[in-house]
Amino acid sequence: MIKKSLPFLAAFILAGCAGGFHHVNPNNEKVSFSDPVLAETDTVNLTYVLLEKEQGGKQYRLVSISKVKPKIANVRQERVAFNADLTRFAVDYDEYDWETFVDYQNYSQKTRIMVCQGKYRSIKTQRYNPCTSDFKAPFIPTSVTKAYVAGHMPYEARKLWDNPNWNTKVVTINPWQALSESGAIHKLGIKRVETQ
């Protein structure tokens, strides 16, 4: 009897775990990250969130939430913008120059990247862009990671991709964790709900 009911019990448990969650705005509409920036149609009546990283730490605190675009006053600050109905958000750079990288070795996967050279390698308070923001990561094509994992690339060659002097390409990372730990998500009335 127990052996016969085990498959059903396992299926029931797995079905319960298969559900997830997402975040919704005060109108119960799903909130999602717009990678790498907000679409042109989402740039009217924005809500700006200014964050600041603790001195010597990694956690962010909330500086302000406003309808007026705040200036980046020091190198620990970051600015995120939400569209009018709080359904989309992105890092709010003053400047950017995106390119589409096509990874021909990995099913022609396309990724929006920025090359950090020349004027873009500056100081955040003078030029707030993906290169000066902390909400970035080095861009490493999936094909490079696959080649390394498969043993077709030496460790030294793979580590070059982490070096910003060699690999000048970056991607934007989702600032959700910083928004959440600073309390900005709660103050905006965004809440977590279980997926039905």
Side-chain angles (χ1 to χ4, degrees), residues 67-136:
K67 289 298 202 177
V68 178
K69 185 174 187 167
K71 188 168 175 37
I72 299 293
N74 64 59
V75 295
R76 296 187 325 275
Q77 290 186 344
E78 299 286 343
R79 187 177 57 232
V80 178
F82 283 79
N83 66 351
D85 60 7
L86 303 178
T87 56
R88 307 280 293 161
F89 68 96
V91 183
D92 184 52
Y93 305 116
D94 290 326
E95 62 181 6
Y96 48 84
D97 187 10
W98 300 111
E99 297 178 12
T100 299
F101 179 90
V102 181
D103 192 348
Y104 293 107
Q105 302 300 314
N106 188 54
Y107 309 105
S108 296
Q109 177 185 29
K110 294 180 181 178
T111 308
R112 298 295 300 274
I113 65 164
M114 184 158 159
V115 179
C116 296
Q117 294 177 336
K119 66 181 181 179
Y120 297 118
R121 295 183 92 161
S122 183
I123 300 169
K124 189 186 293 187
T125 54
Q126 294 173 0
R127 302 185 84 97
Y128 186 50
N129 61 57
C131 304
T132 60
S133 172
D134 288 340
F135 295 137
K136 71 169 180 293

Side-chain angles (χ1 to χ4, degrees), residues 142-179:
T142 304
S143 59
V144 169
T145 303
K146 284 181 171 181
Y148 174 68
V149 170
H152 302 301
M153 176 182 286
Y155 176 76
E156 294 78 21
R158 167 57 189 84
K159 285 305 288 177
L160 275 175
W161 286 90
D162 294 323
N163 182 343
N165 293 321
W166 185 84
N167 176 19
T168 60
K169 300 171 184 71
V170 297
V171 291
T172 298
I173 59 172
N174 188 332
W176 183 264
Q177 183 176 343
L179 289 164

